[in-house]
Amino acid sequence: MRDDRPETHRALSGDWWCYRTPFRHWRASDVLDEARYKAVASVFRTTIANSAGRHAGTHGLSAGTSNYDAQIFPIGTSTANAFHPFFSDEWIRSLHRLLAVPETHRIDAALHSSPPGSRTGWIHNDFCSGWFDEATASSGLAFANRAGCDYFTGRSRNESACPKEYVRAATLIYYLCNDGWSEGDGGETGFYGAGQQHDRTNVALVPPLNNTLLLFECSPHSYHRFVTNPRRRRNSIILWLHTTVNDAQSRWLDAVHRRSAQ
Amino acid sequence: MKPVCLVTGAGGRLGQALCADLARDHYVIAAYRRTVPKVASQLQWPVRTDGAEEARHSSIHCVQADLACREDIRRLVEVAAARNGRIDSIVNAAADVRFHGPLVELWESGDEVVTQLAVNAVAPVQLVSAVFQACWKDQSEENAQWNRNLVNISSVSGLYVTKDVGQAYYAASKAALNTLTMYLSLELAPYSVRANAVCPSQFTNESATQHVVNAVRRLITGNETGALVSNVP
């Protein structure tokens, strides 16, 4: 059947709501239809199960950072199709239009799986540089290629790399494989008010309910963190959209957390 | 011009349903304590993915307020009156619904039972009083013209004694609210303001909640006063 909806929203399905506080964000439920959810969840489970215990790298889970306990499986061009529609051109374009952010076709994505008892993360805003190796970037969507350059600093990892700086424009967290989650299980995403980097009282907790997503604009105010999950594993797919340095600076002046190897 | 309705407890199941329903033909001031009601307001709104034009203006304005705090009641009324110039109806749906167990085992109970009585019985009357002082006093003609009124969301628990449920304090708070509603209807009648209460039993699903909403709407738009409506759902 022909889809007559405007291109702007065509890829977005489910029940979407925009929230103004504590910073602009969107939440959506019933994001995928039942069959598509089952397919994506199955790939997620298989990927996590097959990767457990392997060395970090393209095909293995890496440990989180020193203050984030999640096991992380990076998604790249070769693995993205299995998670359709999340990494399709149309889906990404719709998100850019919803956010009113220029389309750069530069994304970073990963599967995150936090074992029971993972520590509460640190309060941060995700508003930082993201470097891409333009030498290996494809003409369509380009995933961060850490073999070419360091994502956070742009430091080249081989002679042919051509690092270019972008800035994170938005973070999307899609929750899945958290069957039977209930209050008290933890694993929520906590939101913190503007200027509250050091105030640990959350102003909202977004529960990791299956087939829901959270999308927020990265800004100097988008303070958030992972909240400890004492009882059960918490699973999600995470995706960062990027904008140009000029666009980020036109919005937020020098508040961008820019890092470079130089 | 649409009437203005102030709804408390807007973050709860019934409160959200009331806001959504009343917003069809009222300006709604939605007071919530913890949970922002999931209705289109200045704080949040649905994103249309079907291509339809998005509603830019909502009839609902949310205000955070803890009704156990007198200053919050004052601020709530000030915001509502300042925003719309008047308040035509109040629906007191905020409630502390905890059951504390058998009375004979509550000799060590702390502030929670006092708080429950305050939130369920005293705060609704304080809110009505604050609105009366700010908007309804000396306005009999206008009150009649706008059919001004209040509806307290009580409970069937306030009408009957039920064995072995452990709801004595909750029931007492609702019984007090029923009595206070009738006193309010007497006190407000000379000012052409009506006062009623709805006393539902449990409304745990959407359909039952809609019955309560319908009962509230009937009281808001009708002409009864001093009524305790218990045949819902």
Side-chain angles (χ1 to χ4, degrees), chain A residues 5-6 9-10 12-21 26 29 98, chain B residues 36-51 54:
Chain A
R5 289 181 295 167
H9 294 127
R10 197 174 292 167
L12 304 180
S13 54
D15 181 21
W16 285 70
W17 280 69
C18 178
Y19 296 75
R20 184 171 281 172
T21 57
W26 290 260
S29 56
L98 184 67
Chain B
V36 179
K38 195 174 179 184
V39 290
S41 70
Q42 87 282 17
L43 297 180
Q44 58 196 44
W45 52 89
V47 177
R48 301 295 301 258
T49 57
D50 59 3
E54 287 185 26

Side-chain angles (χ1 to χ4, degrees), chain A residues 13 122 243:
Chain A
S13 54
W122 78 109
T243 187

Side-chain angles (χ1 to χ4, degrees), chain A residues 1 6 51 61 63 71 74 83 88 90 96 99 118 122 159 166 189 198 202 209 230:
Chain A
M1 186 188 290
S51 309
L61 288 177
Q71 296 167 318
F83 297 97
S88 64
E90 196 179 24
H96 273 280
L99 290 152
S118 293
W122 78 109
E159 285 182 0
Y166 293 84
T189 303
H198 305 294
N202 67 67
L209 297 170

Side-chain angles (χ1 to χ4, degrees), chain B residues 201-212:
Chain B
S201 56
Q202 285 184 328
F203 45 93
T204 51
N205 61 44
E206 204 171 306
S207 163
T209 304
Q210 191 56 45
H211 282 297
V212 182

Side-chain angles (χ1 to χ4, degrees), chain A residues 23-82:
Chain A
F23 46 82
R24 193 164 72 125
H25 69 280
W26 290 260
R27 300 184 203 179
S29 56
D30 300 321
V31 176
L32 303 181
D33 63 42
E34 197 178 338
R36 193 65 227 153
Y37 172 78
K38 278 183 181 167
V40 169
S42 171
V43 176
F44 184 98
R45 284 196 189 93
T46 307
T47 308
I48 296 295
N50 290 346
S51 309
R54 296 204 183 170
H55 292 297
T58 310
H59 301 294
L61 288 177
S62 62
T65 56
S66 59
N67 46 10
Y68 182 47
D69 292 339
Q71 296 167 318
I72 298 170
F73 183 91
I75 294 177
T77 312
S78 60
T79 45
N81 279 345

